[in-house]
């Protein structure tokens, strides 16, 4: 299969049963994408496939053939945090960090599509991402803060 991940083209052989999340982590060593449940529940494995938010444990790697994928590693360059990552840091929006990559990729998806964000809308759009640690208030605050920073 051929895929473009974070702007880089990859060509690799995969077994038909390989999940996209396992391909990203095991074949490409992009371990920022986490596996929290493997059953489409937690959102820790969220990536963008052709710009759409996808739980990568729900998709076979081969289904991504010819597509473009964005993972958490593709959100920043030169070791600098992007505005969403910085907002998560500044708003104390993580504790163990296990949900964070999925939350931030989902936040990136939200902020790419929604300019007029309310707290309610953010809560609705992260309903597929579960955090076991923080409660959600700081995560919601961080996404709203990132939205303000990106508009400034
Ligand atoms: S690991 Fe994919 S949704 Fe939990
Ligand atoms: S920070 Fe621990 S699961 Fe969200």
């Amino acid at each position: 299969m051929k895929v473009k991940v974070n702007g880089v083209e990859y060509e690799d052989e995969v077994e038909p049963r390989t999940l996209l999340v396992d391909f990203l982590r095991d074949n490409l060593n992009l371990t920022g994408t986490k596996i929290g449940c493997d059953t489409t529940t937690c959102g820790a494995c969220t990536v963008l496939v052709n710009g759409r938010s996808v739980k990568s444990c729900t998709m076979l790697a081969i289904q991504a053939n010819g597509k473009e994928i964005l993972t958490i590693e593709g959100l920043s360059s030169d070791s600098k945090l992007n505005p969403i990552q910085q907002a998560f840091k500044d708003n104390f929006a993580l504790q163990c960090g296990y949900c964070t990559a999925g939350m931030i990729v989902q936040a990136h998806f939200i902020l790419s599509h929604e300019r007029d964000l309310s707290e309610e809308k953010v809560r609705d759009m992260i309903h597929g991402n579960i955090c076991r640690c923080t409660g959600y208030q700081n995560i919601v605050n961080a996404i709203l803060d990132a939205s303000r920073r990106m508009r400034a």
Side-chain angles (χ1 to χ4, degrees):
M1 64 179 276
K2 283 186 188 177
V3 277
K4 194 186 254 190
V5 183
N6 303 331
V8 180
E9 307 261 12
Y10 295 92
E11 191 167 351
D12 207 350
E13 289 190 5
V14 290
E15 286 188 44
R17 64 180 178 170
T18 303
L19 297 174
L20 179 58
V21 68
D22 293 323
F23 173 74
L24 293 169
R25 290 176 52 83
D26 300 339
N27 294 49
L28 305 188
N29 206 24
L30 294 171
T31 54
T33 302
K34 301 293 185 238
I35 302 170
C37 67
D38 227 355
T39 55
T40 324
T41 306
C42 75
C45 64
T46 303
V47 300
L48 300 194
V49 179
N50 282 359
R52 299 186 66 175
S53 169
V54 168
K55 292 178 177 176
S56 58
C57 74
T58 67
M59 186 171 170
L60 295 169
I62 196 67
Q63 291 176 295
N65 187 33
K67 298 196 163 76
E68 278 195 41
I69 298 171
L70 180 78
T71 72
I72 187 72
E73 289 90 348
L75 278 183
S76 59
S77 55
D78 304 329
S79 306
K80 277 183 69 180
L81 299 180
N82 89 351
I84 306 171
Q85 293 168 317
Q86 191 65 51
F88 267 65
K89 181 168 182 272
D90 295 346
N91 287 275
F92 307 103
L94 59 144
Q95 287 185 38
C96 80
Y98 208 84
C99 70
T100 308
M103 284 286 185
I104 288 178
V105 171
Q106 182 64 11
H108 175 75
F109 174 74
I110 295 168
L111 293 167
S112 311
H113 290 84
E114 294 282 343
R115 295 189 168 246
D116 191 18
L117 272 181
S118 62
E119 176 168 344
E120 217 176 358
K121 198 174 271 183
V122 172
R123 286 183 182 276
D124 182 46
M125 292 188 81
I126 61 167
H127 77 268
N129 292 73
I130 293 172
C131 175
R132 298 168 298 184
C133 300
T134 62
Y136 294 89
Q137 191 60 55
N138 287 1
I139 291 170
V140 172
N141 291 347
I143 295 172
L144 291 170
D145 186 17
S147 164
R148 285 189 290 273
R149 292 173 193 224
M150 290 164 82
R151 279 199 312 251

